[in-house]
Amino acid sequence: MTHPRPRHHEISVLPDREDLMAELASRLEALDALLSRLEDAERQAADAGEHLIRTRQWQEDTVRTIQEERARMRQRQQALDDLAEHARAAVEALQGSYRSLPPEVKQLEIELQVLNSSGFLSRRNGRTR
C-alpha cells in the first residue's frame, strides 16, 4: 500500500505565477528604459550629424571667403605696385628734366622710398634715391 504524499511537503518546480508576472513586468520596464535610452541616443546622433554638416558648410564658406579676400588683396597689391612704378617713372623723368624738383615731387619720392623699405611694395626694382 502506498501512502499518498502530504501536500505540505510538495516541492514546487515552477515558481509561483505571481512571481513570474512580477519578473516579466520588471524586465519589460527595463526593456522600455533601454528603448528610451536608445531613442535618445539616436536623436543625439542625428543632432550631432546636423551639427557636423553645418560646421562643414561654415568651414567651406570660411575658406571661400578667405580665398576671395586673398584674391582682392593680390589685386590691390598689383594696383599699388603699378601706381608706385608709374610714380617712380614720373619722378625719374622729372629728375632728368629739371635741376630742382618741386616739393610735391620730393615728397612723392620719399613716400615711395618709405613704402618700398616698409615692405608694402612687392616689386623692388625701382631706383628711387
Side-chain angles (χ1 to χ4, degrees), residues 38-52:
L38 179 61
E39 289 169 347
D40 288 344
E42 287 175 345
R43 277 192 293 276
Q44 289 175 359
D47 291 346
E50 289 176 17
H51 179 72
L52 286 173

Side-chain angles (χ1 to χ4, degrees), residues 12-25:
S12 175
V13 176
L14 294 175
D16 191 11
R17 182 180 171 111
E18 288 178 13
D19 291 342
L20 285 175
M21 293 300 284
E23 177 70 20
L24 180 60

Side-chain angles (χ1 to χ4, degrees), residues 14 31 54 72 75 81-82 106 108 115 117 120 123:
L14 294 175
L31 285 174
R54 285 192 305 272
R72 282 191 293 274
Q75 289 174 340
D81 289 342
D82 290 347
K106 289 186 182 231
L108 179 59
L115 286 172
S117 64
F120 286 105
R123 293 187 207 145

Side-chain angles (χ1 to χ4, degrees), residues 11 19 74:
I11 299 175
D19 291 342
R74 281 191 298 272

